[in-house]
mmCIF file with all atom_site columns, all heavy atoms in Angstrom:
data_model
loop_
_atom_site.group_PDB
_atom_site.id
_atom_site.type_symbol
_atom_site.label_atom_id
_atom_site.label_alt_id
_atom_site.label_comp_id
_atom_site.label_asym_id
_atom_site.label_entity_id
_atom_site.label_seq_id
_atom_site.pdbx_PDB_ins_code
_atom_site.Cartn_x
_atom_site.Cartn_y
_atom_site.Cartn_z
_atom_site.occupancy
_atom_site.B_iso_or_equiv
_atom_site.pdbx_formal_charge
_atom_site.auth_seq_id
_atom_site.auth_comp_id
_atom_site.auth_asym_id
_atom_site.auth_atom_id
_atom_site.pdbx_PDB_model_num
ATOM 1   N N   . LEU A 1 1  ? -75.496 23.356  68.955 1.00 97.00 ? 27 LEU A N   1
ATOM 2   C CA  . LEU A 1 1  ? -74.282 23.402  68.125 1.00 97.00 ? 27 LEU A CA  1
ATOM 3   C C   . LEU A 1 1  ? -73.256 22.474  68.614 1.00 97.00 ? 27 LEU A C   1
ATOM 4   O O   . LEU A 1 1  ? -72.351 22.919  69.401 1.00 97.00 ? 27 LEU A O   1
ATOM 5   C CB  . LEU A 1 1  ? -73.816 24.756  67.849 1.00 97.00 ? 27 LEU A CB  1
ATOM 6   C CG  . LEU A 1 1  ? -74.830 25.766  67.208 1.00 97.00 ? 27 LEU A CG  1
ATOM 7   C CD1 . LEU A 1 1  ? -74.157 27.094  67.146 1.00 97.00 ? 27 LEU A CD1 1
ATOM 8   C CD2 . LEU A 1 1  ? -75.146 25.187  65.818 1.00 97.00 ? 27 LEU A CD2 1
ATOM 9   N N   . VAL A 1 2  ? -73.303 21.182  68.294 1.00 97.00 ? 28 VAL A N   1
ATOM 10  C CA  . VAL A 1 2  ? -72.359 20.181  68.863 1.00 97.00 ? 28 VAL A CA  1
ATOM 11  C C   . VAL A 1 2  ? -71.778 19.437  67.605 1.00 97.00 ? 28 VAL A C   1
ATOM 12  O O   . VAL A 1 2  ? -72.533 18.900  66.735 1.00 97.00 ? 28 VAL A O   1
ATOM 13  C CB  . VAL A 1 2  ? -73.140 19.148  69.718 1.00 97.00 ? 28 VAL A CB  1
ATOM 14  C CG1 . VAL A 1 2  ? -72.077 18.050  70.148 1.00 97.00 ? 28 VAL A CG1 1
ATOM 15  C CG2 . VAL A 1 2  ? -73.805 19.858  70.885 1.00 97.00 ? 28 VAL A CG2 1
ATOM 16  N N   . TYR A 1 3  ? -70.346 19.572  67.465 1.00 97.00 ? 29 TYR A N   1
ATOM 17  C CA  . TYR A 1 3  ? -69.651 18.897  66.435 1.00 97.00 ? 29 TYR A CA  1
ATOM 18  C C   . TYR A 1 3  ? -68.933 17.656  67.002 1.00 97.00 ? 29 TYR A C   1
ATOM 19  O O   . TYR A 1 3  ? -68.115 17.703  67.884 1.00 97.00 ? 29 TYR A O   1
ATOM 20  C CB  . TYR A 1 3  ? -68.642 19.787  65.845 1.00 97.00 ? 29 TYR A CB  1
ATOM 21  C CG  . TYR A 1 3  ? -69.184 21.142  65.308 1.00 97.00 ? 29 TYR A CG  1
ATOM 22  C CD1 . TYR A 1 3  ? -69.477 22.186  66.153 1.00 97.00 ? 29 TYR A CD1 1
ATOM 23  C CD2 . TYR A 1 3  ? -69.521 21.236  63.919 1.00 97.00 ? 29 TYR A CD2 1
ATOM 24  C CE1 . TYR A 1 3  ? -69.895 23.310  65.683 1.00 97.00 ? 29 TYR A CE1 1
ATOM 25  C CE2 . TYR A 1 3  ? -70.095 22.456  63.447 1.00 97.00 ? 29 TYR A CE2 1
ATOM 26  C CZ  . TYR A 1 3  ? -70.209 23.505  64.302 1.00 97.00 ? 29 TYR A CZ  1
ATOM 27  O OH  . TYR A 1 3  ? -70.755 24.663  63.826 1.00 97.00 ? 29 TYR A OH  1
ATOM 28  N N   . THR A 1 4  ? -69.335 16.489  66.437 1.00 96.00 ? 30 THR A N   1
ATOM 29  C CA  . THR A 1 4  ? -68.732 15.239  67.057 1.00 96.00 ? 30 THR A CA  1
ATOM 30  C C   . THR A 1 4  ? -67.962 14.402  66.148 1.00 96.00 ? 30 THR A C   1
ATOM 31  O O   . THR A 1 4  ? -68.287 14.303  64.945 1.00 96.00 ? 30 THR A O   1
ATOM 32  C CB  . THR A 1 4  ? -69.849 14.460  67.665 1.00 96.00 ? 30 THR A CB  1
ATOM 33  O OG1 . THR A 1 4  ? -70.626 13.821  66.652 1.00 96.00 ? 30 THR A OG1 1
ATOM 34  C CG2 . THR A 1 4  ? -70.689 15.245  68.605 1.00 96.00 ? 30 THR A CG2 1
ATOM 35  N N   . GLU A 1 5  ? -66.997 13.693  66.675 1.00 95.00 ? 31 GLU A N   1
ATOM 36  C CA  . GLU A 1 5  ? -66.402 12.555  66.124 1.00 95.00 ? 31 GLU A CA  1
ATOM 37  C C   . GLU A 1 5  ? -66.544 11.346  67.126 1.00 95.00 ? 31 GLU A C   1
ATOM 38  O O   . GLU A 1 5  ? -65.965 11.522  68.328 1.00 95.00 ? 31 GLU A O   1
ATOM 39  C CB  . GLU A 1 5  ? -64.936 12.577  65.774 1.00 95.00 ? 31 GLU A CB  1
ATOM 40  C CG  . GLU A 1 5  ? -64.350 11.391  65.146 1.00 95.00 ? 31 GLU A CG  1
ATOM 41  C CD  . GLU A 1 5  ? -62.732 11.368  65.102 1.00 95.00 ? 31 GLU A CD  1
ATOM 42  O OE1 . GLU A 1 5  ? -62.244 12.343  64.905 1.00 95.00 ? 31 GLU A OE1 1
ATOM 43  O OE2 . GLU A 1 5  ? -62.262 10.355  65.450 1.00 95.00 ? 31 GLU A OE2 1
ATOM 44  N N   . GLU A 1 6  ? -67.345 10.310  66.855 1.00 94.00 ? 32 GLU A N   1
ATOM 45  C CA  . GLU A 1 6  ? -67.607 9.340   67.752 1.00 94.00 ? 32 GLU A CA  1
ATOM 46  C C   . GLU A 1 6  ? -67.176 7.933   67.402 1.00 94.00 ? 32 GLU A C   1
ATOM 47  O O   . GLU A 1 6  ? -66.393 7.787   66.451 1.00 94.00 ? 32 GLU A O   1
ATOM 48  C CB  . GLU A 1 6  ? -69.243 9.397   68.007 1.00 94.00 ? 32 GLU A CB  1
ATOM 49  C CG  . GLU A 1 6  ? -69.751 10.781  68.349 1.00 94.00 ? 32 GLU A CG  1
ATOM 50  C CD  . GLU A 1 6  ? -71.256 10.817  68.411 1.00 94.00 ? 32 GLU A CD  1
ATOM 51  O OE1 . GLU A 1 6  ? -71.820 10.025  68.957 1.00 94.00 ? 32 GLU A OE1 1
ATOM 52  O OE2 . GLU A 1 6  ? -71.742 11.804  67.890 1.00 94.00 ? 32 GLU A OE2 1
ATOM 53  N N   . ALA A 1 7  ? -67.714 6.911   68.147 1.00 87.00 ? 33 ALA A N   1
ATOM 54  C CA  . ALA A 1 7  ? -67.213 5.557   67.809 1.00 87.00 ? 33 ALA A CA  1
ATOM 55  C C   . ALA A 1 7  ? -67.880 4.986   66.681 1.00 87.00 ? 33 ALA A C   1
ATOM 56  O O   . ALA A 1 7  ? -68.973 5.470   66.288 1.00 87.00 ? 33 ALA A O   1
ATOM 57  C CB  . ALA A 1 7  ? -67.691 4.748   69.065 1.00 87.00 ? 33 ALA A CB  1
ATOM 58  N N   . GLY A 1 8  ? -67.265 3.984   66.100 1.00 93.00 ? 34 GLY A N   1
ATOM 59  C CA  . GLY A 1 8  ? -67.790 3.361   64.857 1.00 93.00 ? 34 GLY A CA  1
ATOM 60  C C   . GLY A 1 8  ? -67.154 2.005   64.752 1.00 93.00 ? 34 GLY A C   1
ATOM 61  O O   . GLY A 1 8  ? -66.315 1.657   65.524 1.00 93.00 ? 34 GLY A O   1
ATOM 62  N N   . VAL A 1 9  ? -67.763 1.199   63.819 1.00 97.00 ? 35 VAL A N   1
ATOM 63  C CA  . VAL A 1 9  ? -67.325 -0.136  63.654 1.00 97.00 ? 35 VAL A CA  1
ATOM 64  C C   . VAL A 1 9  ? -66.742 -0.241  62.203 1.00 97.00 ? 35 VAL A C   1
ATOM 65  O O   . VAL A 1 9  ? -67.462 -0.277  61.223 1.00 97.00 ? 35 VAL A O   1
ATOM 66  C CB  . VAL A 1 9  ? -68.389 -1.196  63.831 1.00 97.00 ? 35 VAL A CB  1
ATOM 67  C CG1 . VAL A 1 9  ? -67.767 -2.539  63.660 1.00 97.00 ? 35 VAL A CG1 1
ATOM 68  C CG2 . VAL A 1 9  ? -68.962 -1.061  65.283 1.00 97.00 ? 35 VAL A CG2 1
ATOM 69  N N   . ASN A 1 10 ? -65.425 -0.219  61.978 1.00 98.00 ? 36 ASN A N   1
ATOM 70  C CA  . ASN A 1 10 ? -64.897 -0.150  60.691 1.00 98.00 ? 36 ASN A CA  1
ATOM 71  C C   . ASN A 1 10 ? -64.609 -1.642  60.128 1.00 98.00 ? 36 ASN A C   1
ATOM 72  O O   . ASN A 1 10 ? -64.235 -2.551  61.058 1.00 98.00 ? 36 ASN A O   1
ATOM 73  C CB  . ASN A 1 10 ? -63.499 0.592   60.740 1.00 98.00 ? 36 ASN A CB  1
ATOM 74  C CG  . ASN A 1 10 ? -63.678 2.012   61.242 1.00 98.00 ? 36 ASN A CG  1
ATOM 75  O OD1 . ASN A 1 10 ? -64.498 2.650   61.024 1.00 98.00 ? 36 ASN A OD1 1
ATOM 76  N ND2 . ASN A 1 10 ? -62.714 2.449   62.118 1.00 98.00 ? 36 ASN A ND2 1
ATOM 77  N N   . SER A 1 11 ? -64.750 -1.755  58.907 1.00 98.00 ? 37 SER A N   1
ATOM 78  C CA  . SER A 1 11 ? -64.753 -3.061  58.280 1.00 98.00 ? 37 SER A CA  1
ATOM 79  C C   . SER A 1 11 ? -63.846 -3.087  57.080 1.00 98.00 ? 37 SER A C   1
ATOM 80  O O   . SER A 1 11 ? -63.614 -2.169  56.338 1.00 98.00 ? 37 SER A O   1
ATOM 81  C CB  . SER A 1 11 ? -66.119 -3.517  57.856 1.00 98.00 ? 37 SER A CB  1
ATOM 82  O OG  . SER A 1 11 ? -67.091 -3.573  59.013 1.00 98.00 ? 37 SER A OG  1
ATOM 83  N N   . ILE A 1 12 ? -63.136 -4.386  56.909 1.00 98.00 ? 38 ILE A N   1
ATOM 84  C CA  . ILE A 1 12 ? -62.598 -4.679  55.569 1.00 98.00 ? 38 ILE A CA  1
ATOM 85  C C   . ILE A 1 12 ? -63.378 -5.901  54.882 1.00 98.00 ? 38 ILE A C   1
ATOM 86  O O   . ILE A 1 12 ? -63.637 -6.832  55.673 1.00 98.00 ? 38 ILE A O   1
ATOM 87  C CB  . ILE A 1 12 ? -61.114 -5.094  55.854 1.00 98.00 ? 38 ILE A CB  1
ATOM 88  C CG1 . ILE A 1 12 ? -60.340 -3.870  56.424 1.00 98.00 ? 38 ILE A CG1 1
ATOM 89  C CG2 . ILE A 1 12 ? -60.468 -5.571  54.548 1.00 98.00 ? 38 ILE A CG2 1
ATOM 90  C CD1 . ILE A 1 12 ? -58.896 -4.281  56.774 1.00 98.00 ? 38 ILE A CD1 1
ATOM 91  N N   . VAL A 1 13 ? -63.597 -5.823  53.701 1.00 98.00 ? 39 VAL A N   1
ATOM 92  C CA  . VAL A 1 13 ? -64.215 -6.866  52.964 1.00 98.00 ? 39 VAL A CA  1
ATOM 93  C C   . VAL A 1 13 ? -63.192 -7.520  51.952 1.00 98.00 ? 39 VAL A C   1
ATOM 94  O O   . VAL A 1 13 ? -62.612 -6.704  51.268 1.00 98.00 ? 39 VAL A O   1
ATOM 95  C CB  . VAL A 1 13 ? -65.428 -6.494  52.140 1.00 98.00 ? 39 VAL A CB  1
ATOM 96  C CG1 . VAL A 1 13 ? -66.108 -7.651  51.334 1.00 98.00 ? 39 VAL A CG1 1
ATOM 97  C CG2 . VAL A 1 13 ? -66.487 -5.868  53.096 1.00 98.00 ? 39 VAL A CG2 1
ATOM 98  N N   . ILE A 1 14 ? -62.970 -8.810  52.082 1.00 98.00 ? 40 ILE A N   1
ATOM 99  C CA  . ILE A 1 14 ? -61.894 -9.401  51.257 1.00 98.00 ? 40 ILE A CA  1
ATOM 100 C C   . ILE A 1 14 ? -62.553 -10.377 50.340 1.00 98.00 ? 40 ILE A C   1
ATOM 101 O O   . ILE A 1 14 ? -63.038 -11.327 50.617 1.00 98.00 ? 40 ILE A O   1
ATOM 102 C CB  . ILE A 1 14 ? -60.914 -10.196 52.181 1.00 98.00 ? 40 ILE A CB  1
ATOM 103 C CG1 . ILE A 1 14 ? -60.237 -9.255  53.179 1.00 98.00 ? 40 ILE A CG1 1
ATOM 104 C CG2 . ILE A 1 14 ? -59.791 -10.782 51.287 1.00 98.00 ? 40 ILE A CG2 1
ATOM 105 C CD1 . ILE A 1 14 ? -59.359 -10.080 54.197 1.00 98.00 ? 40 ILE A CD1 1
ATOM 106 N N   . ALA A 1 15 ? -62.517 -9.855  49.061 1.00 98.00 ? 41 ALA A N   1
ATOM 107 C CA  . ALA A 1 15 ? -63.093 -10.605 48.008 1.00 98.00 ? 41 ALA A CA  1
ATOM 108 C C   . ALA A 1 15 ? -62.062 -11.528 47.180 1.00 98.00 ? 41 ALA A C   1
ATOM 109 O O   . ALA A 1 15 ? -62.333 -12.665 46.884 1.00 98.00 ? 41 ALA A O   1
ATOM 110 C CB  . ALA A 1 15 ? -64.074 -9.775  47.039 1.00 98.00 ? 41 ALA A CB  1
ATOM 111 N N   . ALA A 1 16 ? -61.042 -10.726 46.802 1.00 98.00 ? 42 ALA A N   1
ATOM 112 C CA  . ALA A 1 16 ? -59.988 -11.376 45.909 1.00 98.00 ? 42 ALA A CA  1
ATOM 113 C C   . ALA A 1 16 ? -58.741 -10.439 45.971 1.00 98.00 ? 42 ALA A C   1
ATOM 114 O O   . ALA A 1 16 ? -58.862 -9.273  46.393 1.00 98.00 ? 42 ALA A O   1
ATOM 115 C CB  . ALA A 1 16 ? -60.425 -11.569 44.462 1.00 98.00 ? 42 ALA A CB  1
ATOM 116 N N   . THR A 1 17 ? -57.595 -10.946 45.626 1.00 98.00 ? 43 THR A N   1
ATOM 117 C CA  . THR A 1 17 ? -56.386 -10.073 45.591 1.00 98.00 ? 43 THR A CA  1
ATOM 118 C C   . THR A 1 17 ? -55.452 -10.759 44.668 1.00 98.00 ? 43 THR A C   1
ATOM 119 O O   . THR A 1 17 ? -55.366 -11.996 44.392 1.00 98.00 ? 43 THR A O   1
ATOM 120 C CB  . THR A 1 17 ? -55.789 -10.036 46.956 1.00 98.00 ? 43 THR A CB  1
ATOM 121 O OG1 . THR A 1 17 ? -54.577 -9.190  46.801 1.00 98.00 ? 43 THR A OG1 1
ATOM 122 C CG2 . THR A 1 17 ? -55.318 -11.323 47.569 1.00 98.00 ? 43 THR A CG2 1
ATOM 123 N N   . ASP A 1 18 ? -54.632 -9.928  44.037 1.00 97.00 ? 44 ASP A N   1
ATOM 124 C CA  . ASP A 1 18 ? -53.533 -10.313 43.124 1.00 97.00 ? 44 ASP A CA  1
ATOM 125 C C   . ASP A 1 18 ? -52.153 -10.682 43.971 1.00 97.00 ? 44 ASP A C   1
ATOM 126 O O   . ASP A 1 18 ? -51.299 -11.256 43.417 1.00 97.00 ? 44 ASP A O   1
ATOM 127 C CB  . ASP A 1 18 ? -53.280 -9.317  42.065 1.00 97.00 ? 44 ASP A CB  1
ATOM 128 C CG  . ASP A 1 18 ? -54.448 -9.303  41.023 1.00 97.00 ? 44 ASP A CG  1
ATOM 129 O OD1 . ASP A 1 18 ? -55.117 -10.293 40.830 1.00 97.00 ? 44 ASP A OD1 1
ATOM 130 O OD2 . ASP A 1 18 ? -54.618 -8.267  40.387 1.00 97.00 ? 44 ASP A OD2 1
ATOM 131 N N   . ASN A 1 19 ? -52.178 -10.138 45.186 1.00 97.00 ? 45 ASN A N   1
ATOM 132 C CA  . ASN A 1 19 ? -51.002 -10.259 45.958 1.00 97.00 ? 45 ASN A CA  1
ATOM 133 C C   . ASN A 1 19 ? -51.357 -10.700 47.450 1.00 97.00 ? 45 ASN A C   1
ATOM 134 O O   . ASN A 1 19 ? -51.542 -9.753  48.259 1.00 97.00 ? 45 ASN A O   1
ATOM 135 C CB  . ASN A 1 19 ? -50.153 -9.080  45.832 1.00 97.00 ? 45 ASN A CB  1
ATOM 136 C CG  . ASN A 1 19 ? -48.718 -9.267  46.363 1.00 97.00 ? 45 ASN A CG  1
ATOM 137 O OD1 . ASN A 1 19 ? -48.587 -10.076 47.270 1.00 97.00 ? 45 ASN A OD1 1
ATOM 138 N ND2 . ASN A 1 19 ? -47.741 -8.460  45.888 1.00 97.00 ? 45 ASN A ND2 1
ATOM 139 N N   . PHE A 1 20 ? -51.496 -11.958 47.725 1.00 98.00 ? 46 PHE A N   1
ATOM 140 C CA  . PHE A 1 20 ? -52.030 -12.341 48.961 1.00 98.00 ? 46 PHE A CA  1
ATOM 141 C C   . PHE A 1 20 ? -51.094 -11.889 50.119 1.00 98.00 ? 46 PHE A C   1
ATOM 142 O O   . PHE A 1 20 ? -51.529 -11.379 51.064 1.00 98.00 ? 46 PHE A O   1
ATOM 143 C CB  . PHE A 1 20 ? -52.114 -13.879 49.088 1.00 98.00 ? 46 PHE A CB  1
ATOM 144 C CG  . PHE A 1 20 ? -52.699 -14.513 50.356 1.00 98.00 ? 46 PHE A CG  1
ATOM 145 C CD1 . PHE A 1 20 ? -54.070 -14.286 50.526 1.00 98.00 ? 46 PHE A CD1 1
ATOM 146 C CD2 . PHE A 1 20 ? -51.960 -15.116 51.189 1.00 98.00 ? 46 PHE A CD2 1
ATOM 147 C CE1 . PHE A 1 20 ? -54.614 -14.757 51.818 1.00 98.00 ? 46 PHE A CE1 1
ATOM 148 C CE2 . PHE A 1 20 ? -52.359 -15.535 52.367 1.00 98.00 ? 46 PHE A CE2 1
ATOM 149 C CZ  . PHE A 1 20 ? -53.768 -15.380 52.751 1.00 98.00 ? 46 PHE A CZ  1
ATOM 150 N N   . ASP A 1 21 ? -49.790 -12.168 50.022 1.00 98.00 ? 47 ASP A N   1
ATOM 151 C CA  . ASP A 1 21 ? -48.851 -11.781 51.039 1.00 98.00 ? 47 ASP A CA  1
ATOM 152 C C   . ASP A 1 21 ? -48.856 -10.287 51.290 1.00 98.00 ? 47 ASP A C   1
ATOM 153 O O   . ASP A 1 21 ? -48.843 -9.886  52.480 1.00 98.00 ? 47 ASP A O   1
ATOM 154 C CB  . ASP A 1 21 ? -47.421 -12.233 50.669 1.00 98.00 ? 47 ASP A CB  1
ATOM 155 C CG  . ASP A 1 21 ? -47.251 -13.718 50.715 1.00 98.00 ? 47 ASP A CG  1
ATOM 156 O OD1 . ASP A 1 21 ? -48.205 -14.435 51.296 1.00 98.00 ? 47 ASP A OD1 1
ATOM 157 O OD2 . ASP A 1 21 ? -46.297 -14.207 50.110 1.00 98.00 ? 47 ASP A OD2 1
ATOM 158 N N   . ALA A 1 22 ? -48.882 -9.439  50.256 1.00 98.00 ? 48 ALA A N   1
ATOM 159 C CA  . ALA A 1 22 ? -48.874 -8.086  50.481 1.00 98.00 ? 48 ALA A CA  1
ATOM 160 C C   . ALA A 1 22 ? -50.090 -7.568  51.144 1.00 98.00 ? 48 ALA A C   1
ATOM 161 O O   . ALA A 1 22 ? -50.115 -6.642  51.935 1.00 98.00 ? 48 ALA A O   1
ATOM 162 C CB  . ALA A 1 22 ? -48.528 -7.259  49.112 1.00 98.00 ? 48 ALA A CB  1
ATOM 163 N N   . MET A 1 23 ? -51.264 -8.217  50.805 1.00 98.00 ? 49 MET A N   1
ATOM 164 C CA  . MET A 1 23 ? -52.561 -7.866  51.413 1.00 98.00 ? 49 MET A CA  1
ATOM 165 C C   . MET A 1 23 ? -52.477 -8.089  52.873 1.00 98.00 ? 49 MET A C   1
ATOM 166 O O   . MET A 1 23 ? -52.919 -7.331  53.700 1.00 98.00 ? 49 MET A O   1
ATOM 167 C CB  . MET A 1 23 ? -53.640 -8.535  50.665 1.00 98.00 ? 49 MET A CB  1
ATOM 168 C CG  . MET A 1 23 ? -54.978 -8.285  51.274 1.00 98.00 ? 49 MET A CG  1
ATOM 169 S SD  . MET A 1 23 ? -56.318 -9.442  50.776 1.00 98.00 ? 49 MET A SD  1
ATOM 170 C CE  . MET A 1 23 ? -55.861 -10.980 51.744 1.00 98.00 ? 49 MET A CE  1
ATOM 171 N N   . CYS A 1 24 ? -52.044 -9.252  53.247 1.00 98.00 ? 50 CYS A N   1
ATOM 172 C CA  . CYS A 1 24 ? -52.023 -9.730  54.632 1.00 98.00 ? 50 CYS A CA  1
ATOM 173 C C   . CYS A 1 24 ? -51.163 -8.874  55.384 1.00 98.00 ? 50 CYS A C   1
ATOM 174 O O   . CYS A 1 24 ? -51.305 -8.486  56.466 1.00 98.00 ? 50 CYS A O   1
ATOM 175 C CB  . CYS A 1 24 ? -51.524 -11.252 54.750 1.00 98.00 ? 50 CYS A CB  1
ATOM 176 S SG  . CYS A 1 24 ? -52.606 -12.462 54.104 1.00 98.00 ? 50 CYS A SG  1
ATOM 177 N N   . GLN A 1 25 ? -49.968 -8.395  54.854 1.00 98.00 ? 51 GLN A N   1
ATOM 178 C CA  . GLN A 1 25 ? -49.042 -7.640  55.506 1.00 98.00 ? 51 GLN A CA  1
ATOM 179 C C   . GLN A 1 25 ? -49.583 -6.194  55.659 1.00 98.00 ? 51 GLN A C   1
ATOM 180 O O   . GLN A 1 25 ? -49.466 -5.560  56.769 1.00 98.00 ? 51 GLN A O   1
ATOM 181 C CB  . GLN A 1 25 ? -47.701 -7.284  54.682 1.00 98.00 ? 51 GLN A CB  1
ATOM 182 C CG  . GLN A 1 25 ? -46.849 -8.649  54.661 1.00 98.00 ? 51 GLN A CG  1
ATOM 183 C CD  . GLN A 1 25 ? -45.809 -8.690  53.575 1.00 98.00 ? 51 GLN A CD  1
ATOM 184 O OE1 . GLN A 1 25 ? -45.653 -7.647  52.902 1.00 98.00 ? 51 GLN A OE1 1
ATOM 185 N NE2 . GLN A 1 25 ? -45.182 -9.807  53.324 1.00 98.00 ? 51 GLN A NE2 1
ATOM 186 N N   . ASN A 1 26 ? -50.394 -5.615  54.721 1.00 98.00 ? 52 ASN A N   1
ATOM 187 C CA  . ASN A 1 26 ? -51.015 -4.384  54.888 1.00 98.00 ? 52 ASN A CA  1
ATOM 188 C C   . ASN A 1 26 ? -52.053 -4.419  56.078 1.00 98.00 ? 52 ASN A C   1
ATOM 189 O O   . ASN A 1 26 ? -52.176 -3.478  56.832 1.00 98.00 ? 52 ASN A O   1
ATOM 190 C CB  . ASN A 1 26 ? -51.641 -3.962  53.561 1.00 98.00 ? 52 ASN A CB  1
ATOM 191 C CG  . ASN A 1 26 ? -52.060 -2.463  53.575 1.00 98.00 ? 52 ASN A CG  1
ATOM 192 O OD1 . ASN A 1 26 ? -53.164 -2.188  54.117 1.00 98.00 ? 52 ASN A OD1 1
ATOM 193 N ND2 . ASN A 1 26 ? -51.263 -1.703  52.946 1.00 98.00 ? 52 ASN A ND2 1
ATOM 194 N N   . ILE A 1 27 ? -52.867 -5.432  55.965 1.00 98.00 ? 53 ILE A N   1
ATOM 195 C CA  . ILE A 1 27 ? -53.876 -5.528  57.029 1.00 98.00 ? 53 ILE A CA  1
ATOM 196 C C   . ILE A 1 27 ? -53.291 -5.774  58.396 1.00 98.00 ? 53 ILE A C   1
ATOM 197 O O   . ILE A 1 27 ? -53.772 -5.153  59.384 1.00 98.00 ? 53 ILE A O   1
ATOM 198 C CB  . ILE A 1 27 ? -54.865 -6.762  56.691 1.00 98.00 ? 53 ILE A CB  1
ATOM 199 C CG1 . ILE A 1 27 ? -55.665 -6.421  55.387 1.00 98.00 ? 53 ILE A CG1 1
ATOM 200 C CG2 . ILE A 1 27 ? -55.843 -7.044  57.863 1.00 98.00 ? 53 ILE A CG2 1
ATOM 201 C CD1 . ILE A 1 27 ? -56.589 -7.617  54.922 1.00 98.00 ? 53 ILE A CD1 1
ATOM 202 N N   . ALA A 1 28 ? -52.215 -6.547  58.431 1.00 98.00 ? 54 ALA A N   1
ATOM 203 C CA  . ALA A 1 28 ? -51.515 -6.748  59.764 1.00 98.00 ? 54 ALA A CA  1
ATOM 204 C C   . ALA A 1 28 ? -51.062 -5.560  60.293 1.00 98.00 ? 54 ALA A C   1
ATOM 205 O O   . ALA A 1 28 ? -51.205 -5.183  61.563 1.00 98.00 ? 54 ALA A O   1
ATOM 206 C CB  . ALA A 1 28 ? -50.361 -7.695  59.604 1.00 98.00 ? 54 ALA A CB  1
ATOM 207 N N   . PHE A 1 29 ? -50.473 -4.553  59.441 1.00 98.00 ? 55 PHE A N   1
ATOM 208 C CA  . PHE A 1 29 ? -50.021 -3.317  59.913 1.00 98.00 ? 55 PHE A CA  1
ATOM 209 C C   . PHE A 1 29 ? -51.153 -2.437  60.513 1.00 98.00 ? 55 PHE A C   1
ATOM 210 O O   . PHE A 1 29 ? -51.162 -1.836  61.570 1.00 98.00 ? 55 PHE A O   1
ATOM 211 C CB  . PHE A 1 29 ? -49.259 -2.592  58.904 1.00 98.00 ? 55 PHE A CB  1
ATOM 212 C CG  . PHE A 1 29 ? -48.536 -1.360  59.396 1.00 98.00 ? 55 PHE A CG  1
ATOM 213 C CD1 . PHE A 1 29 ? -47.191 -1.492  59.932 1.00 98.00 ? 55 PHE A CD1 1
ATOM 214 C CD2 . PHE A 1 29 ? -49.102 -0.102  59.391 1.00 98.00 ? 55 PHE A CD2 1
ATOM 215 C CE1 . PHE A 1 29 ? -46.472 -0.395  60.301 1.00 98.00 ? 55 PHE A CE1 1
ATOM 216 C CE2 . PHE A 1 29 ? -48.434 0.945   59.851 1.00 98.00 ? 55 PHE A CE2 1
ATOM 217 C CZ  . PHE A 1 29 ? -47.162 0.916   60.320 1.00 98.00 ? 55 PHE A CZ  1
ATOM 218 N N   . SER A 1 30 ? -52.275 -2.404  59.813 1.00 98.00 ? 56 SER A N   1
ATOM 219 C CA  . SER A 1 30 ? -53.376 -1.786  60.190 1.00 98.00 ? 56 SER A CA  1
ATOM 220 C C   . SER A 1 30 ? -53.909 -2.195  61.512 1.00 98.00 ? 56 SER A C   1
ATOM 221 O O   . SER A 1 30 ? -54.470 -1.386  62.290 1.00 98.00 ? 56 SER A O   1
ATOM 222 C CB  . SER A 1 30 ? -54.516 -1.716  59.185 1.00 98.00 ? 56 SER A CB  1
ATOM 223 O OG  . SER A 1 30 ? -54.127 -1.076  57.891 1.00 98.00 ? 56 SER A OG  1
#
């Protein structure tokens, strides 16, 4: 009985956006 939260590789896929600057700012903060 082992409950875990472990390592992972999280991703963002950028296909298109209506607001380039706001998208970049959001990703930069993340």
Side-chain angles (χ1 to χ4, degrees):
L27 295 177
V28 179
Y29 303 84
T30 72
E31 179 196 318
E32 303 172 47
V35 184
N36 304 318
S37 300
I38 297 177
V39 179
I40 305 175
T43 181
D44 288 329
N45 192 331
F46 183 75
D47 289 342
M49 179 193 75
C50 291
Q51 291 163 8
N52 191 279
I53 294 173
F55 190 89
S56 291

